[in-house]
Amino acid sequence: MASLIWATRFRDVPTTGEATGHKWHKGVWRGFAAPKGLPKEIAAQYETAIKKIWDSAEFKEFMNRRGFDMIYLDSAGFAEFMKADNEDNGKALKSLGLAK
């Protein structure tokens, strides 16, 4: 939806890719984080509870009604995603001259 709005309302404004050559695509994501050093057994309890919510029909219906795409990542997968997202943000900001 946001891409469609952008394409129809701001036709004369280049995309980040057009302006910089960097193929940067952003969207909204949600996740849970805990303090560094959280005991592994407590982290596992949280991960189990979050997965149970994720698997529920109520949660899926809630997200689908609002038009959100859904991808589940366990804690290790989410950590990798956040690291890659941070690196990608840095590249984009540097290509825009907004970071060193």
Side-chain angles (χ1 to χ4, degrees):
M1 179 73 152
S3 297
L4 179 61
I5 291 169
W6 180 265
T8 58
R9 292 189 183 167
F10 304 103
R11 293 173 192 209
D12 297 329
V13 177
T15 65
T16 305
E18 292 167 339
T20 68
H22 182 78
K23 294 181 181 181
W24 191 49
H25 176 76
K26 283 283 125 206
V28 177
W29 54 262
R30 292 151 196 81
F32 289 91
K36 186 175 182 175
L38 185 72
K40 291 182 189 270
E41 60 275 2
I42 294 174
Q45 289 174 1
Y46 277 114
E47 192 163 341
T48 299
I50 291 165
K51 182 68 165 93
K52 183 177 179 181
I53 293 166
W54 167 266
D55 287 336
S56 73
E58 181 181 6
F59 178 75
K60 290 187 182 340
E61 181 183 334
F62 176 89
M63 296 297 279
N64 286 327
R65 273 188 280 136
R66 287 155 180 82
F68 293 120
D69 292 331
M70 300 179 347
I71 300 170
Y72 178 81
L73 298 171
D74 62 13
S75 57
F78 187 54
E80 289 176 23
F81 166 79
M82 288 182 19
K83 181 180 178 189
D85 191 57
N86 185 53
E87 290 171 359
D88 191 47
N89 286 338
K91 289 176 187 175
L93 292 172
K94 286 176 185 172
S95 71
L96 292 168
L98 299 172
K100 293 181 181 182

